[in-house]
Amino acid sequence: QVQLRESGGALVAPGASLRLSCEALGPVRGRLTMAWFRRDGVKARQWVATVGKTGATTYYRDSVKGRFTISKIAENTVHLEMNDLKLEDTAVYYCAAKTAVLGEYADSSTYSFWGQGTQVTVSS
């Protein structure tokens, strides 16, 4: 069973930067399409960003464009660099992955593997 291990969540002040990491462990075959989603309390899970299998293609939700960067640092390890964090970025961030190519990259139902989540709190 493929497992996703996340790290990097923390409590930070508005305007700060933070880096989240996600590594795929276990019987991974080939490269994965990987993404980050987030959920704040009772709100619906929200797509944040996706990176394609080779790392060459990335997509972002509008509210994080220019502030967040998703990148592959290894075949199945991704970073999410978050700059100029805002109060509304507070959420549990989940790493997700799938063996398929990008396709519906913002649709959580297309991802087969999920991490446990890491808490990001932006507070003054």
Side-chain angles (χ1 to χ4, degrees), residues 84-100:
D84 189 22
L85 282 161
K86 304 179 184 302
L87 298 176
E88 54 264 37
D89 293 319
T90 294
V92 177
Y93 282 70
Y94 297 91
C95 180
K98 58 183 176 179
T99 56

Side-chain angles (χ1 to χ4, degrees), residues 29-46:
R29 292 187 177 184
R31 298 178 178 179
L32 300 171
T33 295
M34 301 183 76
W36 288 93
F37 290 79
R38 65 187 180 187
R39 174 175 283 163
D40 178 16
V42 298
K43 296 179 182 178
R45 184 163 46 193
Q46 186 180 73

Side-chain angles (χ1 to χ4, degrees), residues 32-76:
L32 300 171
T33 295
M34 301 183 76
W36 288 93
F37 290 79
R38 65 187 180 187
R39 174 175 283 163
D40 178 16
V42 298
K43 296 179 182 178
R45 184 163 46 193
Q46 186 180 73
W47 170 72
V48 177
T50 296
V51 60
K53 290 189 173 189
T54 66
T57 305
T58 56
Y59 296 95
Y60 300 90
R61 69 178 300 104
D62 287 346
S63 63
V64 307
K65 282 181 181 177
R67 299 189 298 122
F68 289 13
T69 302
I70 188 170
S71 60
K72 279 202 169 183
I73 63 163
E75 190 171 77
N76 291 314

Side-chain angles (χ1 to χ4, degrees), residues 9-14 18 85-87 89-93 118-124:
L11 169 63
V12 296
L18 202 59
L85 282 161
K86 304 179 184 302
L87 298 176
D89 293 319
T90 294
V92 177
Y93 282 70
T118 185
Q119 177 71 48
V120 173
T121 302
V122 184
S123 175
S124 56

